[in-house]
Amino acid sequence: MPDARLGAGTAVRRAAITALVRIEQGAWSDRLVRAAAARLADPRDRALLTRLVYTTLRWQLAIDPLLDAAALPATERCALRLAVTQAAVLELPVPIAVSSVVGALAGAGDRRRAGRVNARLRRLFREGVPVLDPVRTVPDWLVERWGRTFGPEAARAIAAASTRPARPFVVDLERWAGRSPAGAGHGSDAARRSALVPGGAHAGRGAPATGPEARAVAVDEGAAVVARLAVSGPPGRCADLTAAPGGKTLLLAHGRNGPLVALERHAGRVRALARRLHEWGLGRTVALARADATRPPLAARSFASVMLDAPCSGTGTLRRRPERRLRITSGGIERVADLQRRLLEAASELVASGGVLVYAVCSLEPEEGFGQVMDFLARHDEFDLDDAPAALGPAGAEVADPRDPRCVLLRPDRGAWEGFQAARLVRRRREPAADADAG
Ligand SMILES: C[S@@+](CC[C@H](N)C(=O)[O-])C[C@H]1O[C@@H](n2cnc3c(N)ncnc32)[C@H](O)[C@@H]1O
């Protein structure tokens, strides 16, 4: 059943087409859509804009072969994609799917374009509404890659999961920090409560209250699982080495006792994170610095917990970051795996005796996650692989990685979370004799 609201709003379609063109030219969807939505007065229009843009991007690769639109101007190509998404994915009746998009172009003074788009859409829909294959929404080479890693059926399920909207997830910080009882606060409805994240719940209908005043943070459930692996480490100093935009930093700041250092390499992201920490009243609690974590300006072996939520290809996050599927390359995976290896080496230097290093990526690729961890362990016999699922409580067993059940694998088809791979590495305590030598 299509949503009645979907039929309304040429201004929203116009904004959606403009956003799709800018994203095709290289912009990232999250900030762009937020800014475009802020220019619309009605909150329902804002929600509709977000839905139209994100859904079109998620299905774009399956739609494009039907359009033969590579040679068209970007505005027309994006308008066609939007109209097909409205009819084939959002189940809007064809006349409305077409007229709302054509009307948006005509209203913007593009009458010739509107006429051309109208004619193409009528030809396309003459035979009925096309049925789109969710597997085609992801590049073939990536589905084949997932097939080699997880099996062909799982690969298809992961591709299909990447077309579904992300479900908002909210962590109540009082419960996360263990300061209020399990049943209280946000998401006390048991059906929506996370089994893996204390205080975490999937939000119901409507925008959940989040922010410093609500004492609740909106993050992906998988991201909160990763933060929990670091929170449950030994007490003492903690370093969050690749911190922006800072969802996990907020969780670490509220879940751990002890000083927290956060590093981030990119200046703009450092500034945005500094503002975020200030808004949360954490400006003095978290020591934030701009630094390259391959050469961190921090004392060796001085941290009880180190979190490396490494930059990655993001193949686990195609639902929330739908345009990634349009940009990712296998060469990009190799390049980022090399950076991850260097970051992991540098991060391990910071871990004190008996301390924990949490390594995580929101990628499903073995060379970025599981393989990266196994290669590290082969080079470093001073580290042991800890049982990460056990640190998540009884439900942790559900996210144990079949390749080694001491690692965590969050497959995006198995929950409403983004895909993550994570592991906990523990630096062996030095033998007393070695300590004496060192002294
Ligand atoms: C996966 S994101 C981290 C997400 C973050 N932990 C959170 O929960 O919001 C990776 C971050 O690492 C940063 N980064 C990339 N290379 C880096 C480096 N060499 N040193 C420090 N930060 C780096 C990126 O700019 C990006 O903000």
Side-chain angles (χ1 to χ4, degrees):
M1 248 318 254
D3 171 347
R5 182 83 203 155
L6 273 174
T10 46
V12 180
R13 266 58 180 207
R14 231 178 355 249
I17 294 166
T18 306
L20 289 167
V21 169
R22 301 256 329 262
I23 293 163
E24 189 182 87
Q25 289 164 348
W28 288 98
S29 62
D30 52 354
R31 265 202 254 160
L32 184 79
V33 172
R34 236 182 293 131
R39 288 193 284 275
L40 298 167
D42 188 326
R44 291 170 304 177
D45 284 346
R46 288 186 219 138
L48 176 57
L49 173 69
T50 307
R51 190 168 169 204
L52 291 176
V53 173
Y54 274 62
T55 311
T56 305
L57 292 171
R58 288 190 190 109
W59 288 87
Q60 180 171 321
L61 285 179
I63 292 171
D64 275 2
L66 308 172
L67 297 180
D68 189 23
L72 291 182
T75 308
E76 287 174 41
R77 188 165 48 249
C78 292
L80 290 167
R81 287 175 184 146
L82 177 61
V84 175
T85 300
Q86 295 193 129
V89 184
L90 300 172
E91 299 179 357
L92 210 55
V94 167
I96 301 175
V98 173
S99 64
S100 58
V101 166
V102 171
L105 290 176
D110 286 338
R111 290 199 171 279
R112 295 235 314 271
R113 276 190 182 150
R116 283 200 298 265
V117 166
N118 189 32
R120 272 182 175 254
L121 288 172
R122 293 206 181 279
R123 273 202 304 281
L124 180 73
F125 290 129
R126 203 176 291 144
E127 309 293 323
V129 177
V131 176
L132 303 177
D133 180 355
V135 178
R136 298 262 91 86
T137 63
V138 175
D140 290 345
W141 65 265
L142 189 52
V143 178
E144 280 160 25
R145 214 172 202 286
W146 292 341
R148 288 195 295 277
T149 308
F150 305 112
E153 205 175 308
R156 284 193 292 275
I158 293 168
S162 80
T163 65
R164 293 197 273 275
R167 276 181 79 190
F169 186 79
V170 176
V171 179
D172 173 321
L173 291 173
E174 296 303 312
R175 289 176 54 211
W176 165 260
R179 284 195 289 263
S180 78
H186 300 265
S188 44
D189 170 358
R192 293 196 259 116
R193 223 179 283 154
S194 170
L196 294 165
V197 179
H202 289 281
R205 284 198 161 271
T210 57
E213 276 165 29
R215 306 283 305 142
V217 59
V219 287
D220 178 75
E221 186 177 12
V225 166
V226 170
R228 191 175 177 201
L229 293 177
V231 163
S232 58
R237 293 179 79 204
C238 177
D240 179 5
L241 295 183
T242 47
K248 296 181 198 74
T249 319
L250 291 182
L251 293 177
L252 291 177
H254 287 91
R256 283 190 64 86
N257 291 322
L260 175 58
V261 175
L263 303 185
E264 165 61 46
R265 180 175 171 183
H266 295 280
R269 291 173 149 248
V270 174
R271 283 195 294 275
L273 179 51
R275 277 196 299 277
R276 196 171 184 196
L277 292 173
H278 178 75
E279 280 160 21
W280 281 86
L282 295 168
R284 287 168 190 273
T285 313
V286 181
L288 172 64
R290 181 181 177 202
D292 178 350
T294 60
R295 287 174 291 137
L298 302 171
R301 306 210 179 181
S302 64
F303 287 88
S305 288
V306 174
M307 187 167 76
L308 177 57
D309 182 28
C312 68
S313 66
T315 57
T317 64
L318 302 185
R319 192 153 42 194
R320 268 184 214 277
R321 297 257 185 169
E323 69 276 27
R324 269 196 203 274
R325 72 191 73 212
L326 310 170
R327 300 179 183 172
I328 193 164
T329 61
S330 56
I333 292 173
E334 279 165 32
R335 277 193 298 281
V336 83
D338 177 60
L339 172 62
Q340 289 156 350
R341 191 186 55 75
R342 289 185 286 124
L343 285 165
L344 190 48
E345 287 294 329
S348 69
E349 289 295 314
L350 303 176
V351 181
S353 170
V356 161
L357 167 57
V358 173
Y359 176 77
V361 282
C362 59
S363 156
L364 300 173
E365 310 318 308
E367 50 276 75
E368 296 186 63
F370 183 74
Q372 194 72 256
V373 169
M374 293 300 142
D375 287 353
F376 175 85
L377 286 167
R379 295 192 302 271
H380 291 274
D381 60 4
E382 72 278 22
F383 277 87
D384 290 320
L385 184 60
D386 196 21
D387 189 343
L392 299 170
E398 286 168 32
V399 294
D401 189 330
R403 294 167 292 191
D404 187 318
R406 293 170 295 175
C407 296
V408 166
L409 170 65
L410 291 161
R411 257 176 50 185
D413 57 318
R414 295 261 173 94
W417 47 61
E418 295 295 13
F420 274 93
Q421 300 178 76
R424 262 167 63 127
L425 303 158
V426 179
R427 185 187 281 280
R428 283 194 193 148
R429 289 187 186 283
R430 275 179 289 176
E431 299 295 324
D435 274 340
D437 287 344

